[in-house]
Each structure stands twice: as structure tokens, then as C-alpha cells.
Amino acid sequence: MSDGTGTTTADLDMRLEKHRVELTGYCYRMLGSSFEAEDAVQDTMVRAWRSYEKFEGRSSLRSWLYRIATNVCLDMLTAGNKRARPMDLSESTPLAQAALSPRPDHTWLEPMPDNRVLPTTDDPAEAAVAKESVRLAFMAALQQLPSKQRAVLILREVLAWRASEVAELLDTSVASVNSALQRARATLAERDEKAAHAAVSDPLDEDQQKLLDRYVAAFEGYDMTALTTLLHEDAVMTMPPFDLWLTGHDDITGFMTTLGAACEGSRLVPVQVNGLPGFAQYKPDPEQGGHTPWAVQVLEISDGRLTGFHFFLDTKRWFPLFGLPLHLEAEPDQIQQGV
């Protein structure tokens, strides 16, 4: 079947589908939400389908799709909602005052599996930039930018588009693009002075891998003494959808043995998330036996210590997104992660 331009339905499907992962990465950086990003890409594909016969080929199909995706994201951002991490919204809570108060889903920056947003590339430098640009700290900084500045920064700095290409996509001038990029860089530089960064090698170097191995042993063994030795003294722990966040190994391990005591006996399954090492955490299931989903953990490493670990608790949404099983039998090493 042809669409009237000589392109068959199957051909067009294949051509559009080739761009899905990179478009999802772009929309995710724009929106800060895994599910909104996938909705935006689906909307982009539908719009492209419907208007393909009007596509005149003056730009590449890829550029045309980015134009559509940008318009979809800008429309979705008109509500002005800026997704955030708990530390972007409030001060750290001392353990003695810790309380689990949830906020609505649309408040939070959401995690994303690497394989849904990072296209395969043979260029190590390109791969490194792509991974760094979906890490939680950078994503949180992006959310503070006005939507058009956000688009300019992503297109210019992450995707390496020329200013003239961005200007054409946004129907504006090169001078306007350069000005928006300068303002966006200034905003990010100001945040950089206040934020710690995850210094994670790609792939993990030997010391980082050993650190993760020790973390798994400490967490699964619920050995707070061992865990303390792995945490930076200013380490941060967050647990969206709760707005509580804790700083320092004493408060973190204190929380884990009090309010978080039900996590004792957990099992961890490795995942690749937001360009960082992570784990799917399953805690003991007293009703069915084995282990039940509890959190997707995202870990930040710097100077040989864990500087941040973030527990995303909405397992009904996250575990299917990561292709993870919803139950682990008593022998976790026999369960393979779905991807």
C-alpha cells in the first residue's frame, strides 16, 4: 500500500521507527517524564504519518521529525510544570523529623532505562555525552530552563546541531538561538556551582565496579557498618513520590534501620538507568514468599564513594517500563532481567 508519494506503509513505518529511540531521548530531556516522553513520541509519529504527503523533503526526515517533536513538547510544557527532585523543592530533613509525605506524580523527575533513550553509536565521545545528558542532576537542571531555552540547549549542546539548523527548526534567527544558548548555559553554570556531580566512567572502571559489588553485598546483607564506609559523608538519599530527603550516612543508615527496616533481606537486580548504575530492589514478600518489587535505585558515584542514591518507589509503573519481573522466587540468581 502506498501513501501517494511512492512510499509504502511498511517503508514509512520502518523509516519513522528508526528514529524512535533518539526522539524519545530528546522528548525525555525536554519533559523530564518517562511516560510523557513516550506519549510525545507517539504523538509525533502519528502527526508525521498524517502529514507525510505534505513533507516536501526540503529538510531531512530526521530534522522534520525533530520539528514535530519539539512542537509537541512545547505544547505539553505550556502548563509550566517543572519536574524536580526532592532536594530541588525543600531543605534536607533530619532523621528525627522524618515523615513520608507523598506529592503528586507530576511533581517528580522520572527515571528512564538507558535502552529507551540512548541510541547505539560507535563513537565513544558521542555515547558519553548522551549518557551525561540524561543523568539526574543534568536533567533536573534542564527542567529549570524556559522551554525554548531547553530545546536550544539540547539541540546545540547534546545533539550538536548547528545554530542555523536550530533556528530553522524553531522558526527564529541564528542570533536568537545564540542568545538563548548563552542564557541557558549561564543558568546551568550557576547550578553547577551548587551541585555535586556523578563521576561515573563509561564503562565502569575496576574501582567503580568493586564499589558497586560492595554496595550490593552491604545492602543485601543489610550491613549498616559496611554501607557507611561506602557513603560519602554528604551523601544524599531520595525516595519519590515522598518529598523527604536525607543527607549524611548517619541519617541514611538510621532511616534504613527504622522507617526503612522492611527493606532488610532485599535482593538487587542490576539495571542501566539515566546513564548511571542502578538496581531494581525487591524486598521480602511475607504473603507469597520470595521477593516483591519495591524500588528502582539510581546510584551516583564520585571520588570512590556513593554520593547519592535515589529510590523511585512507584513500582507498578517502573518495573514494567524496565522489563522487570513483578516477583522474584526464592532463588534470585535464577531470575533474569527482561530488557
Side-chain angles (χ1 to χ4, degrees), residues 86-162:
M87 60 275 256
D88 300 320
L89 301 179
S90 64
E91 295 297 320
S92 175
T93 306
L95 178 60
Q97 299 171 22
L100 299 178
S101 305
R103 295 202 191 191
D105 289 340
H106 62 72
T107 307
W108 305 116
L109 184 65
E110 297 179 347
M112 186 63 130
D114 285 0
N115 62 3
R116 288 183 179 256
V117 292
L118 300 178
T120 303
T121 176
D122 295 327
D123 183 340
E126 186 179 316
V129 168
K131 279 197 168 186
E132 288 171 8
S133 69
V134 293
R135 290 180 180 165
L136 294 174
F138 184 77
M139 287 287 299
L142 282 178
Q143 304 312 300
Q144 300 306 309
L145 298 174
S147 54
K148 286 199 175 179
Q149 281 186 32
R150 201 180 306 177
V152 167
L153 185 92
I154 296 166
L155 291 164
R156 291 282 286 118
E157 301 277 270
V158 178
L159 301 176
W161 285 38
R162 295 191 298 271

Coordinates of all heavy atoms in Angstrom, one line a residue, residues 86-162:
P86 N 13.5 15.8 45.0 CA 13.1 16.3 46.4 C 14.0 17.5 46.8 O 13.5 18.4 47.4 CB 13.3 15.1 47.2 CG 12.9 13.9 46.3 CD 13.5 14.3 45.0
M87 N 15.3 17.4 46.5 CA 16.2 18.4 47.0 C 16.1 19.7 46.3 O 16.6 20.8 46.7 CB 17.7 17.9 47.0 CG 18.2 17.6 45.6 SD 17.7 15.9 45.2 CE 19.3 15.1 45.4
D88 N 15.3 19.7 45.2 CA 15.1 21.0 44.5 C 13.9 21.7 45.1 O 13.7 22.9 44.7 CB 14.7 20.7 43.0 CG 15.9 20.0 42.3 OD1 17.0 20.4 42.5 OD2 15.6 19.1 41.5
L89 N 13.1 21.1 46.0 CA 11.9 21.6 46.5 C 11.9 22.0 47.9 O 11.1 22.8 48.4 CB 10.7 20.7 46.2 CG 10.5 20.2 44.8 CD1 9.3 19.2 44.7 CD2 10.2 21.5 43.9
S90 N 12.8 21.4 48.7 CA 12.8 21.7 50.1 C 14.2 21.4 50.7 O 15.1 20.9 50.0 CB 11.8 20.8 50.8 OG 12.2 19.4 50.7
E91 N 14.3 21.8 52.0 CA 15.6 21.5 52.7 C 15.6 20.1 53.1 O 14.6 19.4 53.3 CB 15.7 22.4 53.9 CG 15.8 23.9 53.6 CD 17.0 24.2 52.8 OE1 18.1 23.7 53.1 OE2 17.0 25.1 51.9
S92 N 16.8 19.6 53.4 CA 17.0 18.2 53.9 C 16.3 18.1 55.2 O 16.3 19.0 56.0 CB 18.5 17.9 54.0 OG 18.7 16.7 54.6
T93 N 15.8 16.9 55.5 CA 15.0 16.6 56.7 C 15.9 15.8 57.7 O 16.4 14.8 57.3 CB 13.8 15.8 56.5 OG1 13.0 16.5 55.5 CG2 13.0 15.6 57.8
P94 N 16.1 16.3 58.9 CA 16.8 15.5 59.9 C 16.1 14.2 60.2 O 14.8 14.2 60.1 CB 16.9 16.4 61.2 CG 16.6 17.7 60.7 CD 15.7 17.6 59.5
L95 N 16.8 13.1 60.5 CA 16.1 11.8 60.7 C 15.1 11.9 61.8 O 14.0 11.3 61.7 CB 17.2 10.8 61.1 CG 16.6 9.4 61.4 CD1 15.9 8.8 60.2 CD2 17.8 8.5 61.9
A96 N 15.3 12.7 62.8 CA 14.4 12.8 64.0 C 13.0 13.4 63.5 O 12.0 13.1 64.2 CB 14.9 13.6 65.1
Q97 N 13.0 14.1 62.4 CA 11.8 14.7 61.9 C 11.2 14.0 60.6 O 10.3 14.5 60.0 CB 12.0 16.2 61.6 CG 12.4 17.0 62.8 CD 12.9 18.4 62.5 OE1 12.5 18.9 61.4 NE2 13.7 19.0 63.3
A98 N 11.8 12.9 60.3 CA 11.5 12.2 59.0 C 10.0 11.8 59.0 O 9.6 11.2 60.0 CB 12.4 11.0 58.8
A99 N 9.3 12.1 57.9 CA 8.0 11.7 57.7 C 7.8 11.5 56.2 O 8.3 12.2 55.4 CB 7.0 12.7 58.2
L100 N 7.0 10.5 55.9 CA 6.8 10.1 54.5 C 5.6 10.8 53.9 O 4.4 10.3 54.1 CB 6.7 8.6 54.3 CG 8.0 7.8 54.8 CD1 7.8 6.3 54.6 CD2 9.2 8.3 54.0
S101 N 5.7 11.9 53.3 CA 4.6 12.7 52.7 C 4.7 12.7 51.2 O 5.7 13.3 50.6 CB 4.7 14.1 53.2 OG 4.7 14.2 54.6
P102 N 3.8 12.0 50.5 CA 3.9 11.9 49.0 C 3.4 13.2 48.4 O 2.6 14.0 48.9 CB 3.0 10.8 48.7 CG 2.0 10.7 49.8 CD 2.7 11.2 51.0
R103 N 3.9 13.5 47.2 CA 3.4 14.5 46.3 C 2.9 13.9 45.0 O 3.3 12.8 44.7 CB 4.5 15.6 46.0 CG 5.0 16.4 47.3 CD 5.6 17.7 46.9 NE 6.3 18.3 47.9 CZ 6.8 19.6 47.9 NH1 6.6 20.3 46.8 NH2 7.4 20.1 48.9
P104 N 2.1 14.6 44.2 CA 1.6 14.0 43.0 C 2.7 13.6 42.0 O 3.8 14.2 42.0 CB 0.7 15.2 42.4 CG 0.4 16.0 43.6 CD 1.6 16.0 44.5
D105 N 2.4 12.6 41.2 CA 3.4 12.1 40.3 C 4.0 13.2 39.4 O 5.2 13.1 39.1 CB 2.7 11.0 39.3 CG 2.4 9.7 40.1 OD1 3.0 9.5 41.2 OD2 1.6 9.0 39.6
H106 N 3.2 14.1 39.0 CA 3.7 15.1 38.0 C 4.7 16.1 38.6 O 5.3 16.9 37.9 CB 2.5 15.9 37.4 CG 1.7 16.7 38.4 ND1 2.2 17.9 39.0 CD2 0.5 16.6 38.9 CE1 1.3 18.4 39.8 NE2 0.3 17.6 39.8
T107 N 4.9 15.9 39.9 CA 6.0 16.8 40.6 C 7.4 16.3 40.2 O 8.3 17.1 40.1 CB 5.8 16.6 42.2 OG1 4.5 16.9 42.5 CG2 6.8 17.6 42.9
W108 N 7.5 15.0 40.0 CA 8.9 14.4 40.1 C 9.5 14.2 38.7 O 8.9 13.7 37.8 CB 8.8 13.1 40.9 CG 8.2 13.3 42.2 CD1 7.1 12.7 42.7 CD2 8.8 14.1 43.3 NE1 6.9 13.1 44.0 CE2 7.9 14.0 44.4 CE3 9.9 14.9 43.4 CZ2 8.1 14.6 45.6 CZ3 10.1 15.6 44.6 CH2 9.2 15.4 45.7
L109 N 10.8 14.4 38.7 CA 11.7 13.9 37.6 C 11.6 12.4 37.7 O 11.7 11.8 38.7 CB 13.1 14.4 37.8 CG 14.1 14.1 36.8 CD1 13.8 14.8 35.5 CD2 15.5 14.6 37.3
E110 N 11.4 11.8 36.5 CA 11.2 10.3 36.5 C 12.5 9.6 35.9 O 13.2 10.1 35.1 CB 10.0 10.0 35.6 CG 8.7 10.5 36.2 CD 7.5 10.2 35.4 OE1 7.7 9.8 34.2 OE2 6.4 10.4 35.9
P111 N 12.7 8.4 36.4 CA 13.8 7.6 35.8 C 13.5 7.0 34.4 O 12.3 6.9 34.1 CB 14.0 6.4 36.8 CG 12.6 6.2 37.3 CD 11.9 7.6 37.4
M112 N 14.5 6.6 33.7 CA 14.3 6.1 32.4 C 15.4 5.1 32.0 O 16.6 5.3 32.3 CB 14.4 7.2 31.3 CG 14.1 6.9 29.9 SD 12.4 6.3 29.7 CE 11.8 7.2 28.3
P113 N 15.0 3.9 31.5 CA 16.0 2.9 31.1 C 16.9 3.5 30.0 O 16.4 4.1 29.0 CB 15.1 1.7 30.6 CG 13.8 2.0 31.1 CD 13.6 3.4 31.3
D114 N 18.2 3.2 30.0 CA 19.1 3.7 29.0 C 18.7 3.2 27.6 O 18.8 4.0 26.6 CB 20.5 3.2 29.3 CG 21.2 3.9 30.4 OD1 20.6 4.8 31.0 OD2 22.3 3.6 30.7
N115 N 18.2 2.0 27.5 CA 18.0 1.5 26.1 C 16.7 2.1 25.4 O 16.5 1.9 24.3 CB 17.8 -0.1 26.1 CG 16.6 -0.6 27.0 OD1 15.9 0.2 27.5 ND2 16.5 -1.9 27.1
R116 N 16.0 2.9 26.2 CA 14.8 3.6 25.6 C 15.2 5.0 25.1 O 14.4 5.6 24.3 CB 13.7 3.7 26.5 CG 13.0 2.3 26.8 CD 11.8 2.5 27.7 NE 11.1 1.2 27.9 CZ 9.9 0.9 27.3 NH1 9.4 1.7 26.5 NH2 9.4 -0.3 27.5
V117 N 16.3 5.5 25.5 CA 16.7 6.9 25.2 C 18.1 7.1 24.6 O 18.4 8.2 24.1 CB 16.5 7.8 26.4 CG1 15.1 7.9 26.8 CG2 17.4 7.4 27.6
L118 N 18.9 6.1 24.7 CA 20.3 6.2 24.2 C 20.5 5.4 23.0 O 20.7 4.1 23.1 CB 21.3 5.8 25.3 CG 21.2 6.6 26.6 CD1 22.2 6.1 27.6 CD2 21.5 8.1 26.3
P119 N 20.5 6.0 21.8 CA 20.7 5.2 20.5 C 22.1 4.5 20.5 O 23.1 5.1 21.1 CB 20.7 6.3 19.4 CG 20.0 7.5 20.1 CD 20.4 7.4 21.5
T120 N 22.2 3.4 19.9 CA 23.5 2.7 19.7 C 24.4 3.6 18.8 O 24.0 4.1 17.8 CB 23.3 1.4 19.1 OG1 22.4 0.6 19.9 CG2 24.6 0.6 19.0
T121 N 25.7 3.7 19.3 CA 26.6 4.5 18.5 C 28.0 3.9 18.6 O 28.3 3.3 19.7 CB 26.7 6.0 18.9 OG1 27.7 6.7 18.2 CG2 27.0 6.1 20.4
D122 N 28.8 4.0 17.6 CA 30.2 3.5 17.6 C 31.2 4.6 18.1 O 32.4 4.3 18.2 CB 30.6 3.0 16.2 CG 29.8 1.8 15.8 OD1 29.5 1.0 16.7 OD2 29.6 1.6 14.6
D123 N 30.7 5.8 18.3 CA 31.5 6.9 18.7 C 31.5 7.0 20.3 O 30.5 7.4 20.8 CB 31.0 8.2 18.1 CG 31.8 9.4 18.4 OD1 32.6 9.4 19.4 OD2 31.8 10.4 17.7
P124 N 32.6 6.7 21.0 CA 32.6 6.7 22.4 C 32.3 8.1 23.0 O 31.7 8.3 24.0 CB 34.1 6.3 22.8 CG 34.5 5.6 21.6 CD 33.9 6.2 20.4
A125 N 32.8 9.2 22.3 CA 32.6 10.5 22.8 C 31.1 10.9 22.7 O 30.5 11.5 23.6 CB 33.4 11.5 22.0
E126 N 30.5 10.5 21.6 CA 29.1 10.8 21.4 C 28.2 10.0 22.5 O 27.3 10.5 23.0 CB 28.7 10.3 20.0 CG 27.2 10.7 19.6 CD 26.9 10.2 18.2 OE1 27.8 10.5 17.3 OE2 25.8 9.7 18.0
A127 N 28.6 8.8 22.7 CA 27.9 7.9 23.7 C 28.1 8.6 25.1 O 27.1 8.6 25.9 CB 28.5 6.5 23.7
A128 N 29.3 9.1 25.4 CA 29.5 9.7 26.7 C 28.6 10.9 26.9 O 28.0 11.1 28.0 CB 31.0 10.0 26.9
V129 N 28.6 11.8 25.9 CA 27.7 13.0 26.0 C 26.3 12.6 26.2 O 25.5 13.2 27.0 CB 27.9 13.9 24.7 CG1 26.8 15.0 24.7 CG2 29.3 14.5 24.7
A130 N 25.8 11.6 25.4 CA 24.4 11.2 25.5 C 24.1 10.7 26.9 O 23.1 11.1 27.5 CB 24.1 10.1 24.5
K131 N 25.0 9.9 27.5 CA 24.8 9.4 28.9 C 24.8 10.5 29.9 O 23.9 10.6 30.8 CB 25.8 8.4 29.3 CG 25.5 7.0 28.7 CD 26.4 5.9 29.4 CE 25.8 4.5 29.1 NZ 26.5 3.5 29.9
E132 N 25.7 11.4 29.8 CA 25.8 12.5 30.8 C 24.5 13.4 30.7 O 24.1 13.9 31.7 CB 27.0 13.4 30.5 CG 28.3 12.7 30.9 CD 29.6 13.4 30.4 OE1 29.4 14.6 29.9 OE2 30.7 12.9 30.5
S133 N 23.9 13.5 29.5 CA 22.8 14.4 29.3 C 21.5 13.8 29.8 O 20.5 14.5 29.8 CB 22.7 14.8 27.8 OG 22.3 13.6 27.1
V134 N 21.5 12.5 30.3 CA 20.3 12.0 30.9 C 20.5 11.7 32.4 O 19.6 11.2 33.0 CB 19.7 10.7 30.2 CG1 19.2 11.1 28.8 CG2 20.8 9.6 30.2
R135 N 21.6 12.1 32.9 CA 21.8 11.9 34.3 C 21.0 12.8 35.2 O 20.6 13.9 34.7 CB 23.3 12.0 34.7 CG 24.1 10.9 34.1 CD 25.6 11.0 34.4 NE 26.3 9.8 33.8 CZ 27.5 9.7 33.6 NH1 28.4 10.6 33.9 NH2 28.0 8.6 33.0
L136 N 20.6 12.3 36.3 CA 19.5 13.0 37.1 C 19.9 14.5 37.4 O 19.0 15.4 37.3 CB 19.3 12.3 38.4 CG 18.7 10.9 38.3 CD1 18.6 10.2 39.6 CD2 17.3 10.9 37.6
A137 N 21.1 14.8 37.7 CA 21.5 16.2 38.1 C 21.3 17.1 36.8 O 20.8 18.2 37.0 CB 22.9 16.2 38.6
F138 N 21.8 16.6 35.7 CA 21.7 17.4 34.5 C 20.2 17.5 34.1 O 19.7 18.6 33.7 CB 22.5 16.8 33.3 CG 22.5 17.6 32.1 CD1 23.3 18.7 31.9 CD2 21.7 17.2 31.0 CE1 23.3 19.5 30.8 CE2 21.7 18.0 29.8 CZ 22.5 19.1 29.7
M139 N 19.4 16.5 34.2 CA 18.0 16.5 33.8 C 17.3 17.5 34.7 O 16.4 18.3 34.3 CB 17.4 15.1 34.0 CG 17.8 14.1 32.9 SD 17.0 14.5 31.3 CE 15.3 14.3 31.8
A140 N 17.6 17.5 36.0 CA 17.0 18.4 37.0 C 17.3 19.9 36.6 O 16.5 20.8 36.7 CB 17.4 18.1 38.4
A141 N 18.6 20.1 36.2 CA 19.0 21.5 35.7 C 18.2 21.9 34.5 O 17.8 23.0 34.4 CB 20.5 21.5 35.5
L142 N 18.1 21.0 33.5 CA 17.3 21.3 32.3 C 15.9 21.8 32.7 O 15.4 22.7 32.0 CB 17.2 20.1 31.4 CG 18.4 19.7 30.6 CD1 18.1 18.4 29.8 CD2 18.8 20.8 29.6
Q143 N 15.3 21.2 33.7 CA 13.9 21.5 34.0 C 13.7 22.9 34.5 O 12.6 23.4 34.5 CB 13.3 20.5 35.0 CG 13.4 19.0 34.6 CD 12.9 18.7 33.2 OE1 11.7 19.0 32.9 NE2 13.7 18.2 32.4
Q144 N 14.8 23.5 34.9 CA 14.8 24.9 35.4 C 14.8 25.9 34.3 O 14.6 27.1 34.5 CB 15.9 25.2 36.4 CG 15.9 24.3 37.6 CD 14.6 24.3 38.3 OE1 14.1 25.3 38.6 NE2 14.0 23.1 38.6
L145 N 15.1 25.5 33.0 CA 15.2 26.4 31.9 C 13.8 26.6 31.3 O 13.0 25.7 31.2 CB 16.1 25.8 30.8 CG 17.6 25.6 31.2 CD1 18.3 24.9 30.1 CD2 18.2 26.9 31.6
P146 N 13.5 27.9 30.8 CA 12.3 28.0 30.0 C 12.3 27.1 28.8 O 13.4 26.7 28.3 CB 12.5 29.5 29.5 CG 13.4 30.1 30.5 CD 14.3 29.1 30.9
S147 N 11.2 26.7 28.3 CA 11.1 25.6 27.4 C 11.9 25.8 26.1 O 12.5 24.8 25.6 CB 9.6 25.3 27.1 OG 9.0 26.5 26.6
K148 N 11.9 27.0 25.5 CA 12.6 27.2 24.3 C 14.1 27.2 24.5 O 14.9 26.7 23.7 CB 12.2 28.5 23.6 CG 10.8 28.3 22.9 CD 10.5 29.3 21.9 CE 9.2 29.0 21.2 NZ 8.8 30.0 20.2
Q149 N 14.5 27.7 25.7 CA 16.0 27.6 26.0 C 16.4 26.2 26.2 O 17.5 25.8 25.8 CB 16.3 28.4 27.3 CG 16.4 29.9 27.2 CD 16.8 30.6 28.5 OE1 17.5 30.0 29.3 NE2 16.3 31.8 28.7
R150 N 15.5 25.4 26.8 CA 15.7 24.0 27.0 C 16.0 23.3 25.6 O 16.9 22.5 25.4 CB 14.6 23.3 27.7 CG 14.8 22.1 28.4 CD 13.6 21.5 29.1 NE 13.0 22.5 30.1 CZ 11.9 22.3 30.7 NH1 11.2 21.1 30.6 NH2 11.4 23.2 31.5
A151 N 15.1 23.6 24.7 CA 15.2 23.0 23.4 C 16.5 23.4 22.7 O 17.2 22.5 22.1 CB 14.0 23.4 22.5
V152 N 16.8 24.7 22.8 CA 18.1 25.1 22.1 C 19.3 24.5 22.7 O 20.2 24.0 22.0 CB 18.2 26.7 22.3 CG1 19.6 27.1 21.9 CG2 17.1 27.4 21.4
L153 N 19.3 24.4 24.1 CA 20.5 23.8 24.7 C 20.6 22.3 24.3 O 21.7 21.8 24.0 CB 20.4 23.9 26.2 CG 21.6 23.4 26.9 CD1 22.6 24.5 27.2 CD2 21.3 22.7 28.3
I154 N 19.5 21.6 24.3 CA 19.6 20.1 24.0 C 20.0 20.0 22.5 O 20.9 19.2 22.2 CB 18.2 19.5 24.2 CG1 17.9 19.5 25.7 CG2 18.3 18.0 23.7 CD1 16.4 19.2 26.0
L155 N 19.4 20.7 21.6 CA 19.8 20.6 20.2 C 21.2 21.0 19.9 O 21.9 20.3 19.1 CB 18.8 21.4 19.4 CG 17.3 20.9 19.3 CD1 16.4 22.0 18.8 CD2 17.2 19.6 18.5
R156 N 21.7 22.1 20.5 CA 23.0 22.6 20.3 C 24.1 21.8 21.0 O 25.1 21.3 20.5 CB 23.1 24.0 20.6 CG 22.3 25.0 19.8 CD 23.0 25.2 18.4 NE 24.1 26.2 18.6 CZ 25.4 25.9 18.3 NH1 25.7 24.7 17.9 NH2 26.3 26.8 18.5
E157 N 23.9 21.6 22.3 CA 25.0 21.0 23.2 C 25.0 19.5 23.2 O 26.0 18.9 23.3 CB 24.8 21.5 24.6 CG 24.9 23.0 24.7 CD 26.3 23.6 24.8 OE1 26.9 23.7 25.9 OE2 26.8 23.9 23.7
V158 N 23.8 18.9 23.2 CA 23.7 17.4 23.3 C 23.7 16.8 21.9 O 24.5 15.8 21.7 CB 22.4 17.0 24.1 CG1 22.3 15.5 24.1 CG2 22.4 17.6 25.5
L159 N 22.9 17.3 21.0 CA 22.7 16.7 19.7 C 23.7 17.3 18.6 O 23.7 16.8 17.5 CB 21.3 16.8 19.2 CG 20.3 16.1 20.2 CD1 18.9 16.3 19.7 CD2 20.6 14.6 20.3
A160 N 24.4 18.4 19.0 CA 25.4 19.0 18.2 C 24.8 19.5 16.8 O 25.5 19.5 15.8 CB 26.5 18.0 17.9
W161 N 23.6 20.1 16.9 CA 23.1 20.8 15.7 C 23.7 22.1 15.6 O 24.1 22.7 16.5 CB 21.6 21.0 15.9 CG 20.7 19.7 15.7 CD1 21.0 18.5 16.1 CD2 19.5 19.7 15.1 NE1 20.0 17.6 15.8 CE2 19.0 18.3 15.2 CE3 18.6 20.6 14.5 CZ2 17.8 17.9 14.6 CZ3 17.4 20.2 14.0 CH2 17.0 18.8 14.1
R162 N 23.8 22.6 14.3 CA 24.3 23.9 14.0 C 23.3 24.9 14.4 O 22.1 24.7 14.4 CB 24.7 24.1 12.6 CG 25.9 23.2 12.1 CD 26.4 23.6 10.8 NE 25.3 23.4 9.7 CZ 25.2 22.3 9.1 NH1 25.9 21.2 9.3 NH2 24.2 22.2 8.2

